Amino acid sequence: MRQTLVAGNWKLNGSKDSIQTLVKGIADGMSAVNGTAVAICPPYVYIPMVQNLLTGTTIGLGAQDVTDQESGAYTGEVSASMLKDIGCQYVIVGHSERRALYGERDEDTAKKYAATRKEGLIPILCVGELLEERENGDTENVVARQLDAVIALEGVAALADGVIAYEPVWAIGTGKTATPDQAQEVHAFIRGKIAALDADVADKVQILYGGSVNGGNAAELFAMDDIDGGLIGGASLKADDFLAICTA
Ligand code: 13P
């Protein structure tokens, strides 16, 4: 059995006050969460504060992005070794918002995956198609291309050190969730593609679903064979909603 994981991606949200309330709310509700790992990914600047608030809890900590560089003249960037240094365990790489809004290419994401892995942190590799790509029947091609960039750079075995998050772009922040069958179909494709290269890695790798997951739809999504948890945006900003997903 694969361990399930529910990770909250807070994106560009929060303040000292709101984060204090949110983390306390999640931590207080964790006694009801059984058998799934839980992690939260705050904006960089709040990571040390959140880490303090998480002391004594089982909740993991992650960042939303990372540079592929180790150190040097890269103004504004944050490295994987820094994230490790301040106590992160996870790093989201290749989120569709980084790809769409900041021009991140497949090969950039692959380098970030490599940099994260090199530090012994767990990359959460986001893949997923645009609505237009789905409508053109290109979903599998797009997801395969995004995975292949990482496999080409790091080899298929490297996927066992990370987590994959399938996030159809048309379902992110839109309230339009993929149906459990639609999601399962792509998750099975991803696992099958990896299995063709290494069955062991395919069996082990956690594949999360992300895109308008909420307390009402999480259970049926997570019940699917190849869905091992979720990457949660909007619903991770309210403790009750996030906990409802974690207990689903
Ligand atoms: P929403 O849950 O708000 O749709 O966002 C999903 C997401 O992008 C998580 O990374």
Side-chain angles (χ1 to χ4, degrees):
M1 265 301 273
R2 286 179 295 272
Q3 158 90 64
T4 52
L5 169 66
V6 176
N9 173 9
W10 293 356
K11 308 190 180 183
L12 184 59
N13 293 291
S15 64
K16 279 198 284 186
D17 280 352
S18 72
I19 287 172
Q20 198 128 15
T21 309
L22 175 57
V23 175
K24 191 177 176 328
I26 298 170
D28 286 350
M30 280 300 287
S31 55
V33 178
N34 284 312
T36 191
V38 173
I40 49 184
C41 303
Y44 286 135
V45 290
Y46 294 115
I47 290 173
M49 177 188 145
V50 170
Q51 201 211 8
N52 261 327
L53 294 168
L54 291 181
T55 307
T57 74
T58 56
I59 302 167
L61 186 58
Q64 301 173 14
D65 191 22
V66 68
T67 178
D68 61 327
Q69 301 295 329
E70 290 190 2
S71 65
Y74 301 98
T75 301
E77 296 297 309
V78 173
S79 71
S81 66
M82 291 172 181
L83 295 174
K84 183 179 178 182
D85 194 31
I86 59 165
C88 283
Q89 292 104 43
Y90 298 93
V91 181
I92 297 171
V93 297
H95 191 280
S96 62
E97 287 149 18
R98 302 298 321 169
R99 295 177 190 260
L101 304 173
Y102 301 98
E104 185 166 319
R105 301 161 302 168
D106 295 332
E107 52 269 39
D108 302 322
T109 298
K111 286 186 203 153
K112 291 180 178 189
Y113 189 102
T116 301
R117 180 170 171 255
K118 189 166 171 224
E119 290 300 327
L121 302 178
I122 301 169
I124 301 177
L125 169 66
C126 299
V127 298
E129 81 287 3
L130 305 169
L131 181 60
E132 188 190 341
E133 291 166 333
R134 171 162 285 262
E135 287 172 349
N136 290 338
D138 273 335
T139 298
E140 293 186 354
N141 292 336
V142 169
V143 168
R145 192 199 71 219
Q146 292 168 335
L147 287 171
D148 280 338
V150 174
I151 295 170
L153 186 67
E154 289 282 272
V156 69
L159 294 178
D161 298 333
V163 174
I164 296 169
Y166 169 58
E167 300 205 309
V169 180
W170 48 271
I172 294 177
T174 58
K176 245 195 252 170
T177 324
T179 65
D181 286 335
Q182 279 177 323
Q184 166 59 26
E185 199 181 343
V186 180
H187 282 235
F189 167 74
I190 292 170
R191 205 178 299 284
K193 175 180 166 53
I194 298 168
L197 299 168
D198 190 322
D200 222 37
V201 172
D203 195 46
K204 274 191 205 134
V205 70
Q206 292 167 307
I207 310 177
L208 313 184
Y209 169 78
S212 298
V213 179
N214 59 46
N217 60 27
E220 53 175 10
L221 284 160
F222 297 169
M224 305 308 281
D225 279 354
D226 289 297
I227 302 185
D228 307 313
L231 183 57
I232 318 300
S236 71
L237 296 170
K238 288 200 188 121
D240 288 352
D241 292 352
F242 188 57
L243 286 164
I245 297 168
C246 296
T247 51

